[in-house]
Amino acid sequence: MCGIVGIFLKDPKLEPDLGAMLSSMLCVMTDRGPDSAGFAIYGSGEKDHVKLSLRAVEGYDFEALANSISLTSGGAPKLVVRSTHAVIEVPKAHESAVRAALAERHPEVAIVGTGSRMEIFKEVGLPRQVAERFDLPRMSGTHGIGHTRMATESAVTTAGAHPFSTGADQCLVHNGSLSNHNDLRRNLRREGISFATENDSEVAAGYLTWRMQQGKSLGEALEAGLGDLDGFFTFVVGTESGFGVLRDPIACKPAVMAETDQYVAFGSEYRALVDLPGISKARVFEPEPATVYFWDRAA
Amino acid sequence: MNAFNPDVTFDLAETPLRELNAALHKATGESNTRHWRVLNPNGRHALAAGVKAPLTIEVDGHVGYYCAGMNQQANVIIHGNAGVGVAENMMSGFVHVRGDASQSAGATAHGGMLRIDGNASARCGISMKGIDIIVQGSVGHMSAFMGQAGSLIVFGDAGDALGDSLYEAKLFVRGSVKSLGADCIEKELREEHKLHLHEKLTAAGLAGTVDVSEFKRYGSARQLYNFHIDNAGAY
């Protein structure tokens, strides 16, 4: 099954409530995916800095890690620790050096996402536990996506939890299963996209990253995906300024959207949306199969 | 909503859905408590499923999956959208969705009538076995797939593969059809079919809203009933 949710704010007044809204949506979707949960949130950020979302074992000393890379990053990086994850912020100019230092000195730490504004958190366990341990209800931002997982194509591990991020400020959550992911993964690796898991959803994320590297917009990348991705999918994707939704042509996997003057929201089921402000007056609709839906902050 | 004085009101913000469904299952329709109103459905699943008494149930909001599934005799009105499988496997009665319906509306239903004021999504009336479905908007792809009996009447358009592998269900579409499924063909709309349409629209409370001669009729070419090697590619 899996449950996916997403919200894209049009009204800046709601930004302090983004985490609370996403958290409530995620918890309602527990029935669809009790194995693991995760979310990506687009908060504040500086243009010349990059945030790295890191994941390690329970009780990991992220302070020590930040100290050990402080020379590489040209000073002590800004560090926010949340349970098994931490976000460090370093000047963009130092990103590759910091990545090299992390790979060399801290192979035990995984980078789950990077970007100027995006932060990613995911863990095994019930969505409520996951939302609480990362303090999601108190996060703010412009848009976010979330996932509750019922594992089908690969193991119940934190690495297999969504969202998947394969490019800066890009992330994807997926409900469904892809049938040509092995072949695609091989081809994408040849194109220079790297993968951390055997998960089919990571291949979808990698595919979109590859298309966008070729200069396509997220909307165009999603359109191209209709021809190249085989299987069942409902995707919700985020970029630094955008929010997209795509369903396969058969549209087996459920999807409901609601739009008001203040936001666009996505849920696998309508009940994920019922606590959103003004939902009773929202335009509620089901996204059409094989149709790209895309909203952008910049537009 | 219409002026409507319910005999029983269930507010699902305060009462669990199980209590509502248990009460509905106990109701015989013989007492005076025949008019029920349900508040704050908030997309809950299986609301008013398995009702088998002549009750009127008005639901004030959007419902989740399988609302009014297996319905017998009841008149269920949903003042909102319906999730997957509304009126699935209905036997008799009347289900009226005032908004849009998701996939598989009226699937496998043996009888009764489903009226949808908005659009229905993919696979509307899949494997229908006697139900009459009237959609005032459009239907999605693979509607009436393997439809065996009953009628699907669409005021708007139909998506891809309408009536794929159709048996004897009668399909009427007023708008365009994106494509016909395997073994589904357009057939002549004769007087008897116009009468049939008129009768169904009257039963749904829609008499006179559209000109029945504007519909096109689709049905089975009956080429796939028995296996024939020349048709292997179409199965």
Side-chain angles (χ1 to χ4, degrees):
Chain A
M1 290 225 290
C2 294
I4 51 182
V5 296
I7 184 151
F8 175 85
L9 299 180
K10 301 176 185 176
D11 183 353
K13 282 203 284 291
L14 286 177
E15 286 176 16
D17 303 327
L18 184 82
M21 290 156 90
L22 198 63
S23 171
S24 112
M25 295 163 81
L26 208 56
C27 291
V28 177
M29 289 292 96
T30 302
D31 298 358
R32 299 190 65 88
D35 291 336
S36 66
F39 57 91
I41 205 148
Y42 292 81
S44 58
E46 290 171 47
K47 269 272 172 262
D48 55 347
H49 277 63
V50 63
K51 289 177 170 184
L52 292 94
S53 298
L54 306 178
R55 177 173 62 78
V57 293
E58 192 84 53
Y60 187 81
D61 190 352
F62 282 110
E63 297 274 354
L65 175 137
N67 286 333
S68 90
I69 61 162
S70 65
L71 275 180
T72 319
S73 62
K78 200 169 139 193
L79 170 78
V80 179
V81 180
R82 293 178 191 267
S83 184
T84 53
H85 285 49
V87 176
I88 56 170
E89 201 171 333
V90 299
K92 232 174 203 162
H94 295 271
E95 183 186 351
S96 54
V98 168
R99 279 175 175 276
L102 284 171
E104 192 192 316
R105 285 180 248 157
H106 303 284
E108 70 284 4
V109 173
I111 304 174
V112 291
T114 62
S116 60
R117 298 177 55 228
M118 182 190 72
E119 298 179 15
I120 288 188
F121 304 89
K122 49 188 176 181
E123 265 302 349
V124 291
L126 291 172
R128 180 165 301 284
Q129 296 161 352
V130 174
E132 276 170 11
R133 72 191 297 184
F134 296 124
D135 207 16
L136 171 61
R138 265 182 289 281
M139 290 188 192
S140 64
T142 53
H143 54 300
I145 64 174
H147 186 268
T148 65
R149 179 163 190 244
M150 187 174 281
T152 54
E153 290 284 300
S154 58
V156 180
T157 59
T158 303
H162 299 222
F164 284 102
S165 178
T166 48
D169 279 314
Q170 294 168 20
C171 62
L172 170 144
V173 288
H174 172 207
N175 178 20
S177 60
L178 299 179
S179 46
N180 64 340
H181 62 101
N182 283 323
D183 200 29
L184 268 174
R185 190 185 291 107
R186 247 189 324 272
N187 292 337
L188 289 168
R189 277 193 173 129
R190 219 169 285 144
E191 298 286 337
I193 305 286
S194 57
F195 294 97
T197 71
E198 292 301 304
N199 192 293
D200 60 326
S201 308
E202 191 183 12
V203 174
Y207 174 84
L208 296 178
T209 297
W210 173 63
R211 284 294 191 194
M212 285 188 272
Q213 279 175 3
Q214 293 177 324
K216 290 193 185 300
S217 68
L218 175 58
E220 289 164 342
L222 289 167
E223 194 75 50
L226 283 169
D228 291 332
L229 300 169
D230 191 24
F232 297 131
F233 52 85
T234 294
F235 296 137
V236 179
V237 295
T239 63
E240 198 271 318
S241 62
F243 179 77
V245 172
L246 181 69
R247 301 171 84 193
D248 67 79
I250 303 286
C252 270
K253 296 298 175 183
V256 179
M257 303 204 64
E259 186 165 14
T260 71
D261 291 342
Q262 290 187 296
Y263 59 82
V264 177
F266 175 97
S268 289
E269 299 174 24
Y270 173 73
R271 63 201 175 103
L273 312 177
V274 298
D275 292 328
L276 295 177
I279 189 71
S280 60
K281 291 193 178 70
R283 183 174 76 95
V284 176
F285 63 102
E286 192 165 300
E288 298 275 335
T291 305
V292 174
Y293 292 81
F294 182 59
W295 289 264
D296 201 289
R297 242 162 36 105
Chain B
M1 290 187 55
N2 306 327
F4 174 68
N5 294 313
D7 301 316
V8 195
T9 297
F10 268 79
D11 185 347
L12 294 182
E14 290 159 10
T15 314
L17 173 65
R18 270 171 196 269
E19 279 185 29
L20 165 69
N21 278 346
L24 285 169
H25 293 164
K26 260 189 230 149
T28 60
E30 285 163 2
S31 71
N32 287 325
T33 53
R34 292 187 185 179
H35 287 198
W36 300 56
R37 175 182 266 179
V38 181
L39 305 176
N40 296 307
N42 284 351
R44 283 186 181 80
H45 299 326
L47 201 156
V51 179
K52 47 184 193 238
L55 314 172
T56 292
I57 304 156
E58 291 214 38
V59 185
D60 202 1
H62 305 312
V63 295
Y65 295 0
Y66 312 121
C67 180
M70 303 176 284
N71 185 47
Q72 293 185 51
Q73 302 184 57
N75 177 24
V76 182
I77 303 151
I78 300 152
H79 294 273
N81 299 336
V84 174
V86 63
E88 184 177 68
N89 215 51
M90 173 156 66
M91 303 305 283
S92 62
F94 184 69
V95 175
H96 184 180
V97 181
R98 302 292 295 267
D100 296 331
S102 183
Q103 309 186 355
S104 304
T108 74
H110 292 248
M113 180 174 273
L114 169 63
R115 172 180 158 184
I116 297 163
D117 292 356
N119 302 312
S121 187
R123 296 172 279 276
C124 178
I126 183 172
S127 197
M128 54 196 284
K129 296 178 173 72
I131 187 178
D132 292 306
I133 303 174
I134 301 180
V135 181
Q136 287 186 264
S138 298
V139 294
H141 59 278
M142 296 201 93
S143 287
F145 175 47
M146 297 217 303
Q148 289 148 56
S151 51
L152 172 64
I153 301 166
V154 183
F155 286 21
D157 305 328
D160 271 320
L162 174 73
D164 193 89
S165 306
L166 192 67
Y167 292 88
E168 292 305 303
K170 297 176 171 67
L171 315 185
F172 302 92
V173 181
R174 198 166 64 126
S176 65
V177 172
K178 204 165 175 199
S179 68
L180 292 173
D183 214 29
C184 182
I185 54 169
E186 187 181 339
K187 295 181 169 181
E188 185 194 352
L189 185 81
R190 298 192 299 268
E191 280 309 309
E192 67 200 81
H193 305 118
K194 289 182 193 168
L195 279 172
H196 175 87
L197 279 166
H198 184 71
E199 181 197 317
K200 298 300 175 191
L201 294 183
T202 304
L206 290 167
T209 53
V210 284
D211 178 354
V212 294
S213 63
E214 288 174 2
F215 287 88
K216 286 182 174 169
R217 179 169 77 103
Y218 302 89
S220 174
R222 303 186 178 112
Q223 298 299 304
L224 299 179
Y225 272 36
N226 305 102
F227 182 77
H228 191 288
I229 189 65
D230 291 344
N231 295 330
Y235 288 109

